[in-house]
């Protein structure tokens, strides 16, 4: 859990932006909810390596250098992450005219040592068409994994997807998380397509190895509050990394979404089981997630354009008859549900998340739950535009 510069700042990110994000995580109480990584994405580098062959920071946008930035982030009790690639170029060099050939090809051990010296706690190692440079993905991602391990510093290792190769094959052996899809955009259609692609991959996920359906767009202004709640709910059901991708000078309503500790607890559950797909018809996504204490979280997403009642049998949700108490993790409403079918009225593009736990009394009469949607404003007015110009892929 944390924040990453890319979705909002793109290639224009500065030292001041990263410092402000770190302060905001601490000030807004997000850090205490678990958002602790402050990850600087692409375009931090100077166009050329130093005479010693080391990566260096862009002197205009990062005048104090990366070690100082990392120390500042650490001084707030947070962790610091950075970005690199296994080929000759980063994605910024390839797609966004960012100057230089700044990939780690041929510099893997040196770059890992530099990162460790700078106090890096998390590396995003992004593919960026490294096959063009004759790089084999499994080999290259393993090389950096070993180079990081050789530094002796614990560093979370995040790798990108190579679409041609099945997710399950070698990634869980090498990385802590791996991207499963192309880049997210701040639109309903992009977000929901990514959820549909990532949801069936639950078998590959588990503690210390996670499917990564990309960073969050909550708060960037391209979706309605209901759609952002759906985005956040699905990511938590899928045990996804929760990396905020917005300018953290957030409007309160969006903080309310990403700070919902009940939904975060579903994401962070100790069992580490990604939700199973129960129904992925064109008009709905229904997921069921087993939790460490025997509870089950169920999400019912209406992907259609008008409100509807979603009904699923308890059996399909994997709900034993003992799991009768349901709390709606967005409204906080509690109910007793012991009928054979779970129903929820769900607005267009909205999601109800229900946590089922063991009932206090088995003598309670059967009730069918009709969950209602939370009373949030439904404005679709963008709150903030992105600042970066490099996010158009
Ligand atoms: C790729 C990644 C993005 C981001 C950019 C940076 O597109 O998928 O998340 O890191 O590169 O250039």
């Amino acid at each position: 859990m944390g924040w990453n510069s890319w979705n909002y700042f793109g290639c224009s990110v500065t030292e001041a932006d990263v410092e402000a994000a770190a302060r905001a995580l601490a000030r807004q109480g997000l850090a205490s909810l678990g958002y602790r990584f402050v990850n600087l994405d692409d375009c931090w580098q100077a166009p050329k390596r130093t005479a010693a062959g080391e990566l260096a920071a862009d002197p205009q946008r990062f005048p104090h250098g990366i070690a100082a930035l990392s120390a500042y982030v650490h001084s707030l009790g947070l962790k610091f992450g950075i970005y690199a690639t296994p080929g000759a170029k980063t994605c910024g060099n390839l797609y966004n005219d960012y100057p230089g050939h700044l990939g780690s090809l041929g510099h893997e051990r040196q770059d890992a040592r530099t990162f460790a010296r700078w106090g890096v706690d998390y590396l995003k190692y992004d593919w960026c068409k490294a096959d063009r440079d004759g790089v084999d993905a499994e080999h290259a991602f393993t090389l950096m994994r070993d180079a990081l391990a050789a530094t002796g510093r614990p560093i979370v290792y995040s790798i990108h997807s190579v679409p041609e190769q099945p997710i399950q094959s070698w990634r869980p052996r090498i990385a802590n998380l791996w991207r499963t899809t192309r880049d997210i955009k701040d639109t309903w259609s992009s977000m929901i397509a990514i959820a549909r692609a990532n949801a069936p991959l639950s078998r590959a996920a588990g503690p210390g190895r996670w499917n990564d359906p990309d960073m969050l767009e909550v708060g960037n202004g391209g979706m309605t509050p209901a759609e952002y709640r759906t985005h956040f709910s699905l990511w938590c059901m899928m045990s996804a990394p929760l990396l905020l991708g917005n300018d953290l000078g957030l409007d309160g309503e969006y903080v309310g979404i990403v700070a919902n500790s009940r939904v975060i607890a579903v994401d962070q559950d100790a069992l580490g089981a990604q939700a199973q797909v129960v129904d992925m018809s064109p008009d709905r996504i229904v997921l069921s997630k087993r939790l460490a204490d025997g509870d089950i979280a169920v999400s019912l997403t209406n992907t259609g354009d008008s409100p509807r009642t979603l009904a699923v049998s308890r059996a399909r949700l994997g709900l034993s008859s003992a799991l009768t108490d349901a709390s709606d993790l967005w409204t906080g409403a509690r109910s007793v549900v012991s009928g054979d079918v779970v129903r929820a009225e769900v607005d267009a593009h909205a999601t109800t998340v229900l946590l089922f736990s063991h009932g206090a009394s088995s003598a309670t009469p059967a009730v069918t739950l009709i969950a209602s949607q939370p009373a949030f404003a439904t404005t679709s007015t963008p709150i903030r535009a992105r600042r970066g110009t490099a996010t158009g892929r």
Side-chain angles (χ1 to χ4, degrees), residues 30-285:
L30 292 168
S32 57
L33 288 169
Y35 293 96
R36 292 208 180 88
F37 282 89
V38 177
N39 293 352
L40 173 57
D41 207 278
D42 201 357
C43 305
W44 59 268
Q45 314 90 334
K48 283 194 175 146
R49 287 177 177 266
T50 65
E54 291 193 344
L55 288 167
D58 176 275
Q60 265 78 48
R61 286 178 296 109
F62 296 87
H64 298 92
I66 302 300
L69 181 57
S70 165
Y72 179 77
V73 169
H74 289 146
S75 76
L76 298 175
L78 303 170
K79 304 230 175 230
F80 180 71
I82 207 161
Y83 170 100
T85 67
K89 294 183 170 185
T90 75
C91 278
N93 303 144
L94 269 178
Y95 298 107
N96 291 304
D97 300 326
Y98 191 75
H101 287 71
L102 301 167
S104 292
L105 183 59
H107 293 270
E108 292 84 359
R109 293 179 78 87
Q110 181 177 34
D111 290 353
R113 281 197 301 270
T114 303
F115 297 149
R117 199 176 72 237
W118 287 347
V120 164
D121 305 298
Y122 182 118
L123 176 67
K124 174 173 172 179
Y125 205 44
D126 192 8
W127 180 240
C128 294
K129 294 193 182 291
D131 43 328
R132 287 187 182 179
D133 305 314
V135 172
D136 170 72
E138 181 176 0
H139 173 74
F141 285 126
T142 306
L143 199 62
M144 182 52 88
R145 189 270 311 265
D146 293 344
L148 293 174
T151 69
R153 185 176 175 86
I155 297 176
V156 176
Y157 188 35
S158 149
I159 65 174
H160 199 272
S161 64
V162 185
E164 299 74 37
Q165 299 182 5
I167 297 296
Q168 290 89 343
S169 56
W170 44 265
R171 285 176 185 73
R173 276 187 285 112
I174 292 177
N176 299 117
L177 59 152
W178 49 87
R179 279 277 299 281
T180 56
T181 66
R182 289 179 185 279
D183 290 11
I184 195 167
K185 296 199 183 84
D186 186 22
T187 62
W188 166 256
S189 58
S190 163
M191 181 277 290
I192 212 72
I194 284 179
R196 286 183 183 280
N198 189 72
L201 303 172
S202 58
R203 216 156 48 86
R209 51 186 169 87
W210 310 104
N211 288 313
D212 174 7
D214 209 355
M215 301 167 294
L216 296 165
E217 291 282 9
V218 180
N220 277 329
M223 290 183 242
T224 66
E227 290 170 343
Y228 280 141
R229 279 195 297 279
T230 288
H231 181 12
F232 195 68
S233 303
L234 291 173
W235 263 234
C236 289
M237 291 295 290
M238 296 190 297
S239 304
L242 300 179
L243 291 170
L244 305 170
N246 59 311
D247 176 3
L248 291 176
L250 277 174
D251 175 271
E253 188 171 24
Y254 293 104
V255 177
I257 295 172
V258 300
N260 182 327
S261 55
R262 294 174 299 215
V263 181
I264 292 173
V266 171
D267 181 77
Q268 296 286 306
D269 181 73
L271 191 62
Q274 177 173 331
Q276 300 291 315
V277 175
V278 176
D279 188 346
M280 218 153 55
S281 314
D283 68 347
R284 70 194 61 191
I285 299 174

